[in-house]
Amino acid sequence: MPAELTFAAPRRAKPPRHLADLSPDERRAVVTELGEKPFRAKQLAQHYFGHLESDTAKMTDLPAEARERLGSALLPPLLTPVRHITCDDGMTRKTLWRAFDGVLFESVLMRYPDRVTLCVSSQAGCGMNCPFCATGQNGLTRNLSTGEIVDQVVAVARDLARGEVAGGPGRISNIVFMGMGEPLANYRRVLDAVRRITDPVPGGLGISQRGVTVSTVGLVPAIDKLIAERLQVRLAVSLHAPDDELRDELVPVNTRWKVAEVLDAAWRYAGTTGRRVSIEYALIRDINDQAWRADLLGELLAGHLVHVNLIPLNPTPGSKWTASRPEDEREFVRRLRAHGVSVTIRDTRGQEIDGACGQLAAAEQ
């Protein structure tokens, strides 16, 4: 494998062990090793996943003398919010997080009339090296642990439940793994995070699998592994070009797995799960927004269980890449629909708050 397609994260100190890293059986084992009754593990999980509480000092159903010990062992602080920035009258809120080792990553909460979506990061940085992406240009620092992924969700869900986000108290309904990083390059931890997010309380947060979307630039073997899990999460493929010549440039992993291989894997996923695949396509002016590329994309997708999300590019400072002209965007949509392909243009939230993944972290660094 060429060096630029090596997906392993650099070796760094590990985040502290957290309740969310562990299965229910593993939690009971840790609690027992601490000299406590196994059912204390379920009590801790009920507080964390059910009540969104991480402070054992507030868990009055635990023995007072055990709270600090249990908290240190299973609920250590993982994330510190560096800042929250908002737009859309507070309905969009981006959070910059700092982990125990100082690495920075981001999540974005988006409130809509019919749903509340949280976009989470799975890595600090990204090793996919897509040239139009702020995160890709910063490189990969390390994988996030399962606990660090899940704790983004719990922390934001807590703020929502307490009415600390514009719009009043609420609940997260959708999770999208579309923040910093390539989720399937951190496969095991992301899969464990999906289970913690979707397992019923107190095993997890109890969010429906059908409300979870996992994105990928097209790591075909990992897509096949995900198929074997038989989950009901949605698969999103960041395609960005229908032809190999351009996609080799925009998504360098395409030099390993070509467009046809990636789409074949996507169709296998749709065929096994019955879930419609999302094709993510960032429209970049004069690069991938030509009418003939819309026709080629339509030909590739026609007749499949698929939906296209066209994304007006959120340009990064100093970048040559910018959003398509409105007339080219409209023509792209028209041509896809002419091929019978379902397509929408993604709501471009967060542009005024460095909404593209990696922009806020890059600015802080």
Side-chain angles (χ1 to χ4, degrees):
M1 184 183 294
E4 66 271 22
L5 294 182
T6 298
F7 306 134
R11 294 184 66 85
R12 298 172 65 100
K14 291 183 178 181
R17 178 185 61 189
H18 191 275
L19 180 86
D21 293 315
L22 307 176
S23 69
D25 285 343
E26 291 168 334
R27 297 169 201 164
R28 285 190 290 271
V30 172
V31 167
T32 302
E33 289 170 8
L34 293 171
E36 297 294 330
K37 298 293 186 183
F39 72 86
R40 299 294 183 201
K42 185 174 181 180
Q43 287 179 297
L44 282 171
Q46 183 68 47
H47 281 289
Y48 181 70
F49 291 116
H51 305 309
L52 309 173
E53 182 57 71
S54 298
D55 185 357
T56 51
K58 298 178 181 178
M59 301 178 188
T60 56
D61 57 342
L62 298 176
E65 70 278 4
R67 292 173 198 167
E68 184 176 349
R69 185 169 66 254
L70 289 169
S72 297
L74 285 169
L75 289 173
L78 290 181
L79 310 181
T80 302
V82 177
R83 69 178 71 164
H84 302 296
I85 51 177
T86 63
C87 64
D88 305 314
D89 296 322
M91 295 295 115
T92 300
R93 189 183 78 163
K94 187 166 192 174
T95 302
L96 178 66
W97 303 102
R98 177 177 285 113
F100 79 105
D101 56 353
V103 301
L104 300 171
F105 48 93
E106 305 163 11
S107 63
V108 184
L109 176 70
M110 294 160 283
R111 298 192 79 158
Y112 300 93
D114 60 339
R115 67 192 186 280
V116 179
T117 298
L118 180 66
C119 178
V120 298
S121 292
S122 55
Q123 296 178 313
C126 183
M128 298 297 104
N129 200 32
C130 300
F132 59 90
C133 171
T135 304
Q137 295 314 292
N138 293 333
L140 176 62
T141 302
R142 68 168 173 86
N143 288 323
L144 299 187
S145 68
T146 297
E148 288 172 323
I149 297 169
V150 174
D151 212 38
Q152 295 171 64
V153 184
V154 170
V156 174
R158 181 188 302 127
D159 287 351
L160 266 173
R162 295 175 179 176
E164 296 174 6
V165 179
R171 295 170 58 90
I172 295 171
S173 57
N174 297 80
I175 301 291
V176 294
F177 284 81
M178 294 182 179
M180 295 174 70
E182 160 57 45
L184 295 190
N186 188 17
Y187 183 88
R188 181 181 61 80
R189 297 172 188 87
V190 165
L191 184 68
D192 285 348
V194 169
R195 296 196 186 282
R196 305 294 180 269
I197 289 166
T198 61
D199 283 351
V201 177
L205 286 163
I207 295 173
S208 169
Q209 287 187 11
R210 299 181 71 85
V212 175
T213 298
V214 176
S215 70
T216 180
V217 294
L219 307 188
V220 170
I223 294 173
D224 284 326
K225 285 176 67 176
L226 191 61
I227 291 170
E229 305 289 349
R230 302 284 173 159
L231 299 173
Q232 278 292 296
V233 301
R234 184 182 301 281
L235 177 70
V237 176
S238 298
L239 198 67
H240 305 312
D243 55 304
D244 287 322
E245 182 179 8
L246 178 58
R247 196 168 192 263
D248 283 351
E249 177 185 356
L250 295 182
V251 187
V253 76
N254 198 72
T255 61
R256 180 68 184 272
W257 296 289
K258 297 299 186 182
V259 169
E261 294 174 89
V262 172
L263 290 180
D264 282 347
W267 307 148
R268 289 195 295 276
Y269 189 88
T272 300
T273 63
R275 299 298 313 275
R276 186 170 65 170
V277 171
S278 291
I279 298 295
E280 310 295 307
Y281 196 105
L283 283 171
I284 309 171
R285 181 180 298 183
D286 299 328
I287 301 294
N288 67 350
D289 62 353
Q290 301 89 346
W292 71 266
R293 281 198 163 94
D295 284 331
L296 177 55
L297 182 63
E299 291 166 6
L300 290 173
L301 304 185
H304 291 283
L305 193 60
V306 67
H307 177 85
V308 176
N309 279 320
L310 293 178
I311 309 164
L313 188 72
N314 193 346
T316 58
S319 173
K320 68 176 183 178
W321 315 93
T322 191
S324 297
R325 302 172 190 86
E327 59 270 25
D328 293 335
E329 185 180 280
R330 289 192 294 270
E331 180 64 9
F332 208 95
V333 170
R334 189 190 70 78
R335 287 179 180 253
L336 285 178
R337 287 178 175 162
H339 287 277
V341 175
S342 171
V343 56
T344 53
I345 299 173
R346 181 180 292 175
D347 180 16
T348 54
R349 287 196 173 199
Q351 287 190 343
E352 62 267 51
I353 56 170
D354 290 333
C357 294
Q359 289 186 7
L360 190 56
E364 181 73 16
Q365 290 169 329

